[in-house]
Amino acid sequence: MSQSKRPDVAEIRVPFRDVDMNGQMFLASYISYAESVLAGFWSSRPDVDDEPVYSPSKVSCMLHRPLHYDEPATFTATIDKIGMHSIGFLISIDTGEERAAEVEIIWQARTREDQSPASLPEETRDWLYRFLD
C-alpha cells in the first residue's frame, strides 16, 4: 500500500494474495486496507493530553463492484459523522472514475480507566470537522 502525499489517501494494485479463485478481491481485504488507510489518517491528528481510547463498534462494507487482481484502487478516508462519544469514518474505494466499494467504520471513545463512554476531546473534534464529508 503506498501512501499519497495526503494522510487520508492510499493507493494499491490488488495483489494476488487478496483475490479468490474467480480473481475477485476478498471482502475482508477491502476492510483490511480501509483500516490501514484509517490508521495513517488517524496518525496525523493533533496530540491531546489524556486522550480517550477508541474502539470499533461497527465495521461494514458495501460492495458496488468487485476489484480484480492487479487492478489499481484508491482508498480515501473521510469523516461521515461526529457524535458526542463516537466518530463515523467512510472509506471510499475507487478504481479510475468508478466507485468499487465503501467501508464504514465507527469508533467509540472510551475512558482508559474503566472503558466507559468518553467525550471526544475538543482539539480532536475541531480537527475532525476539517474532514467532514
Side-chain angles (χ1 to χ4, degrees):
M1 181 174 256
S2 72
Q3 282 300 118
S4 74
K5 293 177 182 167
R6 294 175 43 188
D8 56 334
V9 176
E11 297 173 346
I12 68 162
R13 290 195 83 79
V14 177
F16 182 74
R17 71 171 182 268
D18 289 336
V19 297
D20 63 17
M21 64 184 174
N22 297 313
Q24 297 179 356
M25 189 164 154
F26 294 117
L27 193 60
S29 294
Y30 294 91
I31 294 170
S32 179
Y33 285 114
E35 289 177 323
S36 293
V37 76
L38 182 53
F41 169 70
W42 191 245
S43 69
S44 70
R45 76 190 182 285
D47 290 330
V48 175
D49 292 332
D50 199 28
E51 184 174 44
V53 293
Y54 297 91
S55 59
S57 61
K58 177 182 179 182
V59 178
S60 64
C61 183
M62 169 76 72
L63 188 62
H64 300 291
R65 80 131 178 106
L67 291 171
H68 296 86
Y69 169 67
D70 204 36
E71 192 169 13
T74 302
F75 289 72
T76 306
T78 58
I79 304 302
D80 189 42
K81 302 170 191 144
I82 302 171
M84 188 60 122
H85 306 282
S86 64
I87 310 163
F89 301 95
L90 186 65
I91 298 87
S92 59
I93 300 106
D94 298 310
T95 182
E97 298 296 317
E98 185 178 10
R99 176 73 34 104
E102 295 170 321
V103 174
E104 180 185 19
I105 300 173
I106 296 177
W107 283 355
Q108 298 291 323
R110 304 216 175 260
T111 62
R112 293 182 180 278
E113 298 77 32
D114 62 1
Q115 299 297 305
S116 62
S119 294
L120 296 177
E122 195 62 36
E123 299 92 340
T124 303
R125 184 181 298 281
D126 291 344
W127 176 76
L128 290 167
Y129 274 112
R130 295 185 0 213
F131 299 95
L132 190 61
D133 192 23

